[in-house]
Amino acid sequence: MNENIYRTMNQKRLIIFIPSIEGGGVEKNLFIISNYLKDKIKNISVITVSNKFKNRFSGKIKFICPKADFWDSIGRRKKFFVGLLLLFLEILKDRNALVFCFQGNVYCTLLCKLLGIKIIVRSNSAPDGWSQNKFKHIVFKYVLRSADKIIVNSLDFKKKFKTKFNIQTECIYNPLNKKEIITKSKVKSKIKFDKKKLNIINVGRYTDQKDQLTLLKAVNRIKDKIKFNLLIVGRGVEKKNLIKYIHDNNLVRKVQLIDFQNNPFNLIKLSDIFILSSLYEGLPNVLLESQVLKKFIISSNCPTGPREILLNGKAGFLFNVGDFKKLSKLILNYSKNKKSLSKKISIGHKNLVRFDYKKNLDNYLEIINSLI
């Protein structure tokens, strides 16, 4: 079967489209999936405007990107249109192509359908925002419905597409490389952790979506009740606002912000709790990675993935989006009941079987092959 897949794929070019690579969870999946496909597909390209991530792709993959570093500094929406121009030019050169879109799904689908090109869409975040505006709802529904295949990474996500837009999707869970996570977690960290304190960690871009301000408000409420250290790992436009809140509320000795790490696993391993405070997510890799490392998780119940990963609270704590008062209580709860709550960690760890690395990657290849 694998030989047949390889032979068939030689007949068509695969173009992976992701205009803005920012180093988050979506990109982790991008790197894993792309580098898996490199040995299965002879002619594979990646179109992006983020040149600095070229070394994360195999040399077997053709990397199509503006050469000047200037382009990587423009805004995400501008990158979408630059990326679409690059895609348009590539399709004009060779129309015998299948597009695999990771980002800018509506724009990319519209372009591909106008040019008569087949497209697979991988939707990475909940469609809730599109459903709140009637015009966007209609655009989202009718444009994405024309895609040849839509892939989502959670069952909750799949249900939302069906109920809100009457669109059928394929669910493929994130491929989780447990061995790599465990190996990298053993690398010695330069960051020191005080074992006498409760060590809390958050990993994510400094953006409105990740809402680390809610986390800071929560720990500010308990700063005089327990001894803790909070480490926030990331980068982004909200960094100045987060630093200002830390200084204004005398949290400097308790909260540390550090730049995004290629290997955050050793930091997660040394922590007691991983906290996700996002307003919305797809299926956040970082929660799965924390479960691999057997860490207790507290997460917002944002759409769509956290509830599914935490089994509606059986494998960790959930709090309403933005509810920093509840989050502060949950942190205190864990600090007082670590032993009894360890059962939740075990439940989460056992349920990682859904995220089988090879099986989920093979599912991507099967879908690609079906559209050749």
Side-chain angles (χ1 to χ4, degrees):
M1 179 179 176
N2 287 338
E3 290 181 1
N4 290 334
I5 290 174
Y6 182 83
R7 184 164 56 250
T8 306
M9 283 306 302
N10 280 338
Q11 300 172 7
K12 207 173 189 79
R13 178 186 183 191
L14 180 70
I15 300 175
I16 296 174
F17 181 76
I18 179 161
S20 181
I21 303 178
E22 299 163 6
V26 173
E27 288 82 354
K28 288 179 184 178
N29 290 308
L30 167 73
F31 301 142
I32 291 171
I33 294 166
S34 300
N35 291 323
Y36 164 79
L37 293 173
K38 78 181 190 300
D39 295 322
K40 314 294 180 182
I41 304 171
K42 186 176 181 179
N43 193 348
I44 178 171
S45 305
V46 169
I47 290 180
T48 184
V49 187
S50 300
N51 191 46
K52 63 183 178 181
F53 288 93
K54 183 177 181 179
N55 64 348
R56 299 295 298 273
F57 295 92
S58 164
K60 294 181 180 180
I61 298 173
K62 184 179 179 182
F63 196 77
I64 302 169
C65 179
K67 292 183 180 179
D69 292 338
F70 157 77
W71 294 104
D72 202 34
S73 63
I74 64 176
R76 185 187 243 207
R77 195 167 294 276
K78 291 179 181 178
K79 286 181 181 178
F80 283 3
F81 289 102
V82 174
L84 287 169
L85 176 60
L86 292 174
L87 177 61
F88 175 71
L89 294 174
E90 285 299 312
I91 291 174
L92 289 184
K93 292 178 188 175
D94 182 5
R95 298 182 65 83
N96 186 35
L98 170 66
V99 173
F100 188 0
C101 181
F102 273 75
Q103 202 178 66
N105 296 332
V106 172
Y107 309 111
C108 189
T109 300
L110 187 58
L111 176 64
C112 288
K113 291 297 106 177
L114 289 173
L115 296 174
I117 300 297
K118 288 185 177 181
I119 179 171
I120 300 170
V121 166
R122 185 183 187 275
S123 194
N124 303 303
S125 59
D128 294 60
W130 286 87
S131 64
Q132 293 171 10
N133 178 295
K134 285 187 177 181
F135 176 73
K136 285 185 176 182
H137 181 101
I138 293 170
V139 170
F140 189 96
K141 179 178 180 179
Y142 287 101
V143 173
L144 280 194
R145 185 179 283 178
S146 67
D148 296 278
K149 190 70 71 173
I150 299 175
I151 298 172
V152 296
N153 57 8
S154 79
L155 291 176
D156 193 15
F157 211 163
K158 181 180 176 72
K159 290 176 184 175
K160 281 185 178 290
F161 263 91
K162 179 61 178 174
T163 56
K164 289 181 179 292
F165 304 101
N166 196 27
I167 295 176
Q168 294 289 350
T169 61
E170 297 284 341
C171 178
I172 302 179
Y173 283 120
N174 294 348
L176 191 64
N177 193 336
K178 299 177 188 176
K179 290 182 180 179
E180 180 184 33
I181 293 167
I182 292 170
T183 299
K184 287 186 175 181
S185 74
K186 296 177 181 178
V187 177
K188 190 173 181 180
S189 171
K190 294 180 181 179
I191 305 294
K192 293 184 178 180
F193 287 74
D194 188 341
K195 294 182 179 180
K196 295 180 181 179
K197 297 180 180 180
L198 184 70
N199 290 294
I200 307 166
I201 190 168
N202 169 280
V203 180
R205 291 173 291 115
Y206 302 142
T207 61
D208 289 337
Q209 177 199 343
K210 302 300 181 180
D211 192 23
Q212 285 99 344
L213 189 58
T214 285
L215 174 54
L216 291 178
K217 288 179 179 178
V219 298
N220 188 47
R221 285 175 61 86
I222 60 173
K223 62 186 178 185
D224 298 321
K225 297 180 180 179
I226 59 169
K227 294 181 179 179
F228 70 88
N229 286 316
L230 168 60
L231 180 64
I232 304 180
V233 185
R235 58 168 170 256
V237 295
E238 287 296 310
K239 185 174 182 178
K240 289 182 179 179
N241 291 333
L242 298 178
I243 291 174
K244 185 177 186 304
Y245 186 91
I246 291 167
H247 282 273
D248 289 350
N249 291 277
N250 298 316
L251 289 168
V252 175
R253 293 185 179 181
K254 294 179 178 291
V255 180
Q256 184 179 4
L257 269 64
I258 65 170
D259 288 339
F260 182 81
Q261 307 287 301
N262 287 329
N263 174 22
F265 305 124
N266 52 0
L267 301 177
I268 294 173
K269 183 182 179 181
L270 293 171
S271 302
D272 299 301
I273 313 177
F274 186 95
I275 297 181
L276 184 84
S277 50
S278 298
L279 302 179
Y280 59 91
E281 288 284 353
L283 196 82
N285 280 335
V286 72
L287 294 191
L288 301 173
E289 292 158 356
S290 297
Q291 286 183 330
V292 170
L293 298 174
K294 298 182 179 179
K295 295 298 144 184
F296 193 83
I297 296 171
I298 302 177
S299 174
S300 66
N301 63 356
C302 66
T304 56
R307 288 190 299 267
E308 193 165 334
I309 292 173
L310 297 183
L311 305 172
N312 290 316
K314 293 180 181 178
F317 285 154
L318 292 164
F319 64 96
N320 290 334
V321 169
D323 190 349
F324 63 91
K325 294 180 180 179
K326 178 66 174 180
L327 175 55
S328 66
K329 291 176 181 178
L330 293 177
I331 296 171
L332 287 175
N333 186 347
Y334 177 76
S335 70
K336 296 174 182 177
N337 302 287
K338 288 183 182 180
K339 289 185 178 180
S340 62
L341 290 171
S342 63
K343 293 179 182 178
K344 289 183 178 287
I345 298 174
S346 299
I347 291 170
H349 188 76
K350 288 177 182 177
N351 275 277
L352 287 172
V353 294
R354 297 172 291 170
F355 305 94
D356 181 85
Y357 187 68
K358 187 176 185 304
K359 178 183 176 183
N360 290 327
L361 287 172
D362 286 344
N363 287 340
Y364 277 103
L365 186 58
E366 185 176 342
I367 287 177
I368 291 170
N369 186 54
S370 72
L371 293 174
I372 299 305

